[in-house]
Amino acid sequence: MPQRSTYRKLLLLLVSTLAVQALYAQYKVRGTVYDKTRTYPLEAVSVMSTGGRFTTTNSEGAYQIEVSEQDSIWFSYLDKPTVKFPVKKMMDLSQFDLALEVPVTVLPEIKIKPRDYRLDSLQNRRDYARVFDFRKPNLESMTSIGPNGAGIDINELIRTFQFRKNRSTMRFQERLLQQERDKFVDHRFNALLVRRLTGLEGEDLKRFMTIYRPTYEFVLYTNDYDFHLYIKEAGERFKKGIGAPPSNTTFLPNP
């Protein structure tokens, strides 16, 4: 009996410790800092977190900093700090870009390299592999079969009772997946392609891309020919003042 009581206390202590660790799980915030025109990236901008982390932007204005879900980060350039940005309120941790009130005249000439969608996606998968690979524990994952027969995996059993951590990780996983889907749509349904196929410019181009933005499923399963034809015919509808159909995935070009 004393041994069983001690075992329970140790198990409770372990679960409590893991719960605290989950509360302060580390994530990575990445992005680029620009001047006020959002044209030129800024080098040597200080990036700090309330958790005590510190880094600076590189020659391309890019930064990466480890944070917990409870942290906030802020930026400082030429001794002018920004407000603090809570991690919980960031829409996209992998692309938290910022424009600072810095005039272009004080900046050196910088060559800007275009972002590579596929490399960014792969890097995001590597950075958040633990979250992307997360699976909610169940009876099957708790059961293990060894040389002495079936048994219970104590690590999976402990994970089962980490309700707060599991809910938080699942929400974060869905958030990352949605961001990945949105970026895939942005990659195919981009302004350069739409401008070339429709001839739209400026505010008309922005309004068209908002009204006729296709869903992830439509973009994923439509070949290039039909996808381009969709954009062309949608552009004609837009120019004639015809509103978007009830669901832009149901509007397909005429055969």
Side-chain angles (χ1 to χ4, degrees):
M1 290 297 290
Q3 288 182 345
R4 183 173 298 178
S5 177
T6 302
Y7 176 75
R8 288 177 179 173
K9 289 179 180 179
L10 289 174
L11 182 58
L12 181 61
L13 178 61
L14 180 58
V15 171
S16 300
T17 302
L18 291 174
V20 171
Q21 290 176 347
L23 185 62
Y24 295 98
Q26 294 295 305
Y27 304 117
K28 291 180 181 178
V29 176
R30 292 188 287 125
T32 305
V33 181
Y34 297 94
D35 74 302
K36 65 180 181 180
T37 67
R38 289 189 175 271
T39 303
Y40 300 96
L42 296 179
E43 183 179 3
V45 177
S46 298
V47 187
M48 295 155 283
S49 79
T50 53
R53 299 280 183 170
F54 172 85
T55 188
T56 57
T57 57
N58 62 18
S59 60
E60 296 176 3
Y63 72 91
Q64 176 175 290
I65 187 169
E66 283 194 358
V67 297
S68 75
E69 196 173 8
Q70 311 304 316
D71 277 347
S72 295
I73 66 172
W74 74 97
F75 304 80
S76 181
Y77 189 66
L78 300 178
D79 294 326
K80 295 181 180 179
T82 66
V83 299
K84 293 179 179 178
F85 302 93
V87 173
K88 282 185 177 180
K89 295 185 179 180
M90 293 179 184
M91 297 300 294
D92 188 347
L93 297 183
S94 66
Q95 194 173 341
F96 188 72
D97 298 342
L98 191 72
L100 301 181
E101 285 294 321
V102 179
V104 179
T105 54
V106 305
L107 301 175
E109 182 180 357
I110 298 174
K111 294 182 180 180
I112 305 173
K113 296 180 181 178
R115 297 180 71 97
D116 188 305
Y117 160 76
R118 292 179 179 83
L119 291 180
D120 281 353
S121 181
L122 288 173
Q123 184 61 49
N124 205 42
R125 284 273 175 171
R126 285 193 289 266
D127 288 344
Y128 299 104
R130 182 178 61 82
V131 179
F132 277 112
D133 297 337
F134 176 79
R135 295 292 182 272
K136 189 175 180 180
N138 52 42
L139 182 60
E140 182 178 351
S141 66
M142 283 189 295
T143 305
S144 61
I145 300 177
N148 297 323
I152 298 295
D153 187 325
I154 187 64
N155 293 322
E156 284 296 293
L157 178 62
I158 292 172
R159 228 166 49 94
T160 303
F161 292 99
Q162 293 177 324
F163 303 113
R164 184 174 180 177
K165 177 184 177 181
N166 292 339
R167 285 196 299 268
S168 177
T169 305
M170 291 181 70
R171 285 197 301 267
F172 190 35
Q173 183 187 66
E174 179 52 37
R175 183 175 163 189
L176 290 175
L177 289 172
Q178 185 58 51
Q179 290 171 6
E180 194 173 73
R181 291 190 286 264
D182 289 341
K183 288 180 180 179
F184 179 69
V185 175
D186 293 339
H187 174 67
R188 287 200 70 189
F189 191 68
N190 62 80
L192 185 63
L193 174 66
V194 173
R195 184 187 298 115
R196 178 168 61 83
L197 295 177
T198 65
L200 296 171
E201 298 281 352
E203 290 301 316
D204 283 341
L205 177 63
K206 291 180 181 178
R207 287 202 309 117
F208 171 81
M209 293 189 68
T210 299
I211 295 172
Y212 282 92
R213 180 181 175 85
T215 63
Y216 168 74
E217 289 75 16
F218 179 73
V219 175
L220 181 64
Y221 295 112
T222 305
N223 60 45
D224 285 344
Y225 177 82
D226 287 336
F227 188 66
H228 291 182
L229 206 52
Y230 161 76
I231 294 174
K232 288 180 181 179
E233 294 208 358
E236 292 302 317
R237 290 171 62 90
F238 180 82
K239 292 173 184 177
K240 293 176 182 177
I242 303 175
S247 171
N248 52 24
T249 59
T250 62
F251 168 57
L252 293 171
N254 295 323

